[in-house]
Amino acid sequence: MTRSRFAPSPTGFVHVGSLRTALYNFLFARHTGGVHVLRIEDTDQSRFVEGAVDNLLRTMEWAGITFDEGPTQGGEYGPYVQSERTDLYRKYAQELLDNGHAYRCFATAEELDEMRKAQQAAGKPPMYDRRWRNKSQDEIDAKLKEGAPYVVRLRVPLGETITFNDLVRGEVSFESSTVDDQVLMKSDGFPTYHLANVVDDHLMKITHVIRGEEWLSSTPKHVILYRAFGWEDTMPAFAHLPLLLNPDKSKLSKRQGDVAVEDFKSQGYLSEALVNFVSLLGFNPSATQEIYTMEELIASFEIAHVNKGGAVFGREKLDWMNSEYIRKKSPEELLALVKPLVKERGYSADDVYIMKVIRLMQERARTINDFVDFANYFYTAPAAYDEKSRTKNWTPEAKVRIGEILPKFKEAGTWDHAAIEGVVRTYAEGKGISAGKLIHPLRLAVSGVGMGPGLFELLEVIGKNEVIARLERAVEIL
Ligand code: GLU
């Protein structure tokens, strides 16, 4: 039975990279019929953010990622929140001190700072110089007696090649002399990520560690820890997922746009689309298919097929996928998503009206927000008019024509797109001009913009009285 885990540090928002890690762990667990564990890694008290765990749980639920064990589900190996497990980490740190695989380091912050500066000045990579590694017991006892603060460091075995097999990258090796004597316990008595992570993966019987590439260089430390504890036989398999990149191949970062799942959600991306898109960042089961349901992703997910190379986060593709998913939804499903936004923006419109807008916009919308923001003219008269379209289409001649067609609209008995089209075409023919000469200025006057769905349908939905009011206003002020 496989056991995979998603082990986020709750920072207040969920990075799309974290979403991918969560997804791959989930897909792996479901594909292999294993157990999916959620573990909250919150031992860094300085990074505590109120409400971060709730937000994380909500985001997972929104994405359709489920867990079999975790803070809300419970389970045999709980608690699943690291801040509730600190006694355990202390016990295991003591075990390493006792068996010599760890040692106390009393170096002060100033000393370490000086050390780093000296290394920098000498052009060397910053690394703890292991100054407390071989101190005599007397020196250590003296410091302990003084009550001097200390950290517990891992005694990395020197002169060894640490090798492990990564399920994505194959064999990976590190020279142990380049590995820091990692701090395992901080002076405040809290463990670092490395100790807590290894202890928990062991105690929670995790079989597969699937995580981002940024943790690859930590893995030799973890391998050394498994050995130091004598847990080598049950060490989990590792799989490090490729980095997510901007289109310019730099590391995907907040500076170049949105990276928080919550931001995509609030911009009107559907969870199915984001999940589909993010799942394919580093893995694609087929050269031809792009749209996958969660079931299909589960059925086809193989760690061995995950790519090594960085995966570009292409916004255009996400937009395309989102429109595909929007098109596949029924108008009723869309209504449930659009209606809260209409309310939020303070527009008043009933379900029948919103459904008409949805039907008209479904083929064109890239996001759920497009139904209310891009198409805001369905809910409110234009507050401004697009300059480009105005220069091009709102000629003195056009203005006269709109003035002339107004009374014909007022006389119209029925107000549907066919009748409206009839009025426009009859007028155009009478004047010997093309209907286009009217369509563009009409659109601008009613919607304020130069593009959108078919004009006659648009006028039908907005309604006779409102259309007339908007045209009168445009003739007056434009
Ligand atoms: N807490 C780490 C994170 O925030 C977990 C890394 C791991 O999966 O080992 O990503």
Side-chain angles (χ1 to χ4, degrees):
M1 170 81 87
T2 66
R3 292 178 58 85
S4 55
R5 86 313 191 256
F6 176 50
S9 304
T11 55
F13 74 97
V14 180
H15 191 286
V16 285
S18 281
L19 175 65
R20 187 193 54 181
T21 302
L23 266 168
Y24 282 21
N25 277 289
F26 168 75
L27 296 177
F28 174 77
R30 297 296 172 254
H31 181 86
T32 56
V35 174
H36 190 214
V37 178
L38 175 65
R39 182 173 74 227
I40 304 296
E41 301 209 322
D42 61 345
T43 56
D44 189 349
Q45 295 294 304
S46 64
R47 283 171 58 189
F48 177 80
V49 178
E50 185 76 44
V53 174
D54 284 340
N55 176 57
L56 183 107
L57 296 176
R58 263 200 312 275
T59 305
M60 292 297 118
E61 198 184 324
W62 178 76
I65 298 173
T66 57
F67 299 93
D68 308 304
E69 294 173 22
T72 36
Q73 299 77 0
E76 229 182 295
Y77 304 98
Y80 292 89
V81 178
Q82 287 188 329
S83 58
E84 294 168 22
R85 300 169 64 84
T86 43
D87 287 345
L88 270 171
Y89 310 128
R90 270 180 216 129
K91 174 182 147 221
Y92 282 100
Q94 188 59 48
E95 185 179 321
L96 293 182
L97 282 171
D98 293 342
N99 68 18
H101 286 294
Y103 62 92
R104 293 187 178 87
C105 165
F106 292 89
T108 62
E110 295 76 45
E111 280 177 66
L112 293 175
D113 205 43
E114 240 169 70
M115 176 195 80
R116 261 190 299 271
K117 280 188 186 136
Q119 286 166 338
Q120 248 167 11
K124 289 194 197 140
M127 192 175 170
Y128 174 62
D129 61 5
R130 315 193 207 261
R131 60 180 66 181
W132 275 88
R133 186 177 164 113
N134 296 312
K135 294 277 192 213
S136 69
Q137 194 58 45
D138 286 350
E139 280 173 286
I140 292 166
D141 287 344
K143 282 283 184 192
L144 281 176
K145 226 162 132 194
E146 272 173 36
Y150 63 87
V151 299
V152 175
R153 287 186 182 270
L154 176 64
R155 189 187 300 275
V156 169
L158 301 180
E160 279 187 35
T161 306
I162 310 290
T163 304
F164 55 92
N165 184 51
D166 187 282
L167 297 178
V168 174
R169 286 145 210 282
E171 202 176 276
V172 181
S173 298
F174 287 87
E175 289 312 315
S176 67
S177 49
T178 65
V179 179
D180 236 323
D181 278 0
Q182 178 63 50
V183 174
L184 302 175
M185 289 293 278
K186 295 176 275 186
S187 55
D188 63 2
F190 277 91
T192 57
Y193 151 75
H194 305 277
L195 178 68
N197 189 268
V198 165
V199 165
D200 284 349
D201 281 344
H202 173 72
L203 296 179
M204 295 179 181
K205 298 200 159 48
I206 298 304
T207 60
H208 290 75
V209 167
I210 303 167
R211 62 185 171 198
E213 184 177 299
E214 62 272 30
W215 302 104
L216 186 66
S217 60
S218 297
T219 309
K221 295 172 186 172
H222 301 175
V223 172
I224 293 168
L225 273 170
Y226 281 103
R227 289 186 193 163
F229 282 120
W231 297 337
E232 229 184 321
D233 293 347
T234 55
M235 190 169 81
F238 295 100
H240 288 92
L241 309 176
L243 282 181
L244 298 189
L245 307 174
N246 291 304
D248 69 2
K249 300 286 158 75
S250 61
K251 194 173 162 211
L252 188 69
S253 70
K254 188 119 186 117
R255 253 174 301 132
Q256 293 209 22
D258 306 298
V259 291
V261 174
E262 295 85 339
D263 292 343
F264 287 100
K265 187 179 170 204
S266 67
Q267 285 165 25
Y269 288 90
L270 296 170
S271 63
E272 302 95 308
L274 192 65
V275 161
N276 189 154
F277 173 74
V278 168
S279 293
L280 301 190
L281 293 172
F283 159 77
N284 197 341
S286 139
T288 48
Q289 191 178 340
E290 300 258 39
I291 301 290
Y292 293 89
T293 63
M294 192 70 110
E295 286 65 39
E296 290 173 310
L297 288 168
I298 290 171
S300 50
F301 185 78
E302 298 285 348
I303 290 191
H305 295 165
V306 172
N307 306 324
K308 288 196 216 26
V312 173
F313 192 96
R315 222 17 218 261
E316 275 165 34
K317 180 144 164 208
L318 171 60
D319 285 352
W320 168 78
M321 265 186 195
N322 208 46
S323 4
E324 289 293 303
Y325 277 95
I326 287 176
R327 279 183 205 168
K328 281 205 268 184
K329 289 234 178 260
S330 69
E332 290 76 15
E333 285 173 305
L334 289 171
L335 178 66
L337 296 163
V338 172
K339 205 171 146 177
L341 293 182
V342 171
K343 254 202 162 139
E344 233 178 81
R345 307 286 190 268
Y347 300 141
S348 63
D350 59 18
D351 289 3
V352 177
Y353 186 84
I354 301 173
M355 285 287 265
K356 285 186 195 162
V357 177
I358 288 173
R359 287 208 184 82
L360 214 51
M361 291 295 297
Q362 189 165 4
E363 290 294 310
R364 319 175 65 88
R366 283 173 313 121
T367 67
I368 295 299
N369 294 27
D370 278 354
F371 287 103
V372 276
D373 296 336
F374 178 76
N376 61 355
Y377 46 80
F378 283 109
Y379 307 98
T380 179
Y385 299 86
D386 177 66
E387 252 331 294
K388 231 170 97 193
S389 169
R390 185 174 168 174
T391 320
K392 192 163 162 229
N393 301 310
W394 197 260
T395 56
E397 199 191 346
K399 188 172 167 166
V400 171
R401 284 181 188 139
I402 300 297
E404 282 175 10
I405 208 167
L406 247 167
K408 309 217 181 295
F409 277 164
K410 284 185 187 161
E411 283 159 24
T414 31
W415 188 261
D416 61 24
H417 61 93
I420 300 165
E421 182 166 3
V423 172
V424 172
R425 295 213 186 273
T426 311
Y427 173 85
E429 270 160 34
K431 293 277 169 193
I433 56 170
S434 76
K437 287 253 185 297
L438 289 162
I439 288 175
H440 296 299
L442 275 171
R443 179 187 296 286
L444 177 73
V446 172
S447 73
V449 291
M451 54 183 183
L455 177 76
F456 305 119
E457 283 85 359
L458 182 148
L459 296 181
E460 175 185 330
V461 170
I462 289 179
K464 181 172 173 176
N465 292 342
E466 181 65 19
V467 166
I468 287 168
R470 291 188 192 183
L471 291 178
E472 282 174 342
R473 187 160 162 264
V475 171
E476 203 179 297
I477 67 169
L478 270 185

